Amino acid sequence: MAIKNYIGGELVEPVSRAYLDNVDPSTGQVYSQAPDSDHRDVEHAVAAAERAFPSWSRTPADERCRLMLRVADALERDLDRFALAECIDNGKPLKLAATLDIPRAVKNLRFFATAVTHFHSESHVTDGVALNYTLRQPRGVAGIISPWNLPLYLFTWKIAPALATGNTVVAKPSELTPMTAYMLSELCRTILPPGVLNVVHGLGAKTGAAITAHPRVPTISFTGGTVTGTEVARTTAPLFKKVGLEMGGKNPNVVFADADFDAAIDGTLRSSFANQGQVCLCGSRIFVERPILDRFLTAFVDRARKLKVGDPLESSTDQGALVSRSHVEKVGRYVELAGQEGGTIRCGGRRPDAVSPRCRDGFFFEPTVITDLPVDCRVNREEIFGPVVSVTPFESEDQVIDFANSTDYGLSASVWTQNLSRAHRVAERIQSGTIWINCWLVRDLRVPFGGMKNSGVGREGGLEALRFYTEPKNVCIHVAGS
Ligand code: NAD
């Protein structure tokens, strides 16, 4: 089956007629093809988006909202089909795609479709002289680049605010997980005016780079790795684009001795291994206060061992496949490195022997817990993005704050304590864009979302996203005779 680009309202082949193999990570087999698009396809998509912009940007917000809600409804009606497709394309458990990825994609569309109907701007009265008010106008064609770990979830998280605010879009999903963005474009074809949303599939360095470098795409929203983000920043800076970068994380999970023990174990297990540890917000560095270290480790390792690595289609599976052969190999190399850096593997650390006959050649890796690593070693500083976590004891609040802040990343953190004053103190001092107290991945779409340090530039979510995709323009009216 061949995926197509979605340009100017039509599903079209890439100009080159060249395709990339699309692999099912649970079997390791090629199961479809995606366009290997180049700058010519991007040029067509930008031209279509430019043609659609004057009309879409002048379409009343109510009407844009209505159309986007229709897309959300169509996606919700098709939830099972999309969840199955996401599971096959990414390797994640079907039950996760059906309860997290696709419902959240529906919610993203609904949230921003309706948010724009409540969006308002500021006015400033200059005493006795003038009245200023701020117009927030769509910026034109938005270039959107998304990763593979939460494919449709993050794709819609970015296209929804761009479209709702009246921009037109040229989007490129990850070449590793193109399927659900393609299926969404099939749905949009019957609902959105041609050219409002364009989806161009292909490789990052070719298709993605053609979008970021395009002189008539003034807004770029990127989610992906920090190395790629650096490249996006380098390309876009001299073109003076407005750029949002959501990048990698190496997030701390801080467990104080006074925490609700069972809640901390449950939450930390989920934040370690959800989606096979392939969530930018996963807490891969676990710091445990010394008095409860042994108890924590025993319970945590026991629970990690019980997670069932299995066929993503099976409802009993907790851990599906990692996204690609090269990724599972990279995770394996980090576990080897942990051994060289003095680590002790408490569980996992390898690819399981036989998940099932169907999944014999899939990209599986066992949930892995490592102890005895120095805080500043590479395994504790670099993003692995797989089911691999380290557990390190700490002695004091000051020490664990230093540990938490000891990487170049600053995306999120979880803190487990029943002492509210301590929770506030620690939250204030950890350098991350999101701090969860006694929870993980509780997401309210209104809150600012993004990273500090090498994890990101700018914020998404709620008003932040609506502001990002609009240009504030101040209008100053002289008040005569005052
Ligand atoms: P990636 O950086 O390899 O790719 C992300 C996207 O960028 C893909 O669509 C890719 O094709 C494209 N791309 C690659 N090179 C490009 C270039 N030169 N120019 C333009 N586009 C290019 O990331 P990935 O492996 O797909 O995703 C995993 C990474 O994403 C992890 O580091 C993870 O932490 C991060 N992530 C961050 C967030 C967040 O919100 N901060 C969310 C999810 C994932």
Side-chain angles (χ1 to χ4, degrees), residues 224-294:
T226 298
V227 172
T228 316
T230 310
E231 186 58 33
V232 172
R234 192 180 291 125
T235 306
T236 52
L239 298 168
F240 306 116
K241 298 191 180 210
K242 191 172 185 183
V243 180
L245 301 172
E246 298 289 346
M247 303 183 287
K250 187 74 183 177
N251 310 304
N253 226 318
V254 178
V255 186
F256 284 96
D258 69 358
D260 173 335
F261 187 80
D262 293 339
I265 291 282
D266 283 350
T268 306
L269 196 82
R270 212 162 66 80
S271 85
S272 298
F273 301 119
N275 204 35
Q276 296 70 246
Q278 302 168 130
V279 181
C280 55
L281 305 162
C282 273
S284 50
R285 294 181 297 143
I286 304 169
F287 299 111
V288 182
E289 201 168 25
R290 178 78 72 182
I292 59 161
L293 178 69
D294 290 345

Side-chain angles (χ1 to χ4, degrees), residues 144-150 154 157-158 172-177 202-212 222-229 231-232 235 245-249 278-281 323 327 330 383 385 409 411 449-451 455-456 460:
I144 284 173
I145 296 177
S146 58
W148 50 259
N149 63 323
L150 298 163
L154 289 174
W157 176 238
K158 297 171 107 54
K172 191 200 89 64
S174 169
E175 58 273 31
L176 297 176
T177 53
L203 299 169
K206 188 153 69 173
T207 319
I211 296 173
T212 56
F222 166 83
T223 298
T226 298
V227 172
T228 316
E231 186 58 33
V232 172
T235 306
L245 301 172
E246 298 289 346
M247 303 183 287
Q278 302 168 130
V279 181
C280 55
L281 305 162
V323 75
H327 190 52
K330 173 188 142 181
E383 186 184 46
F385 214 55
Y409 293 107
L411 192 56
F449 177 85
S455 288
E460 298 184 309

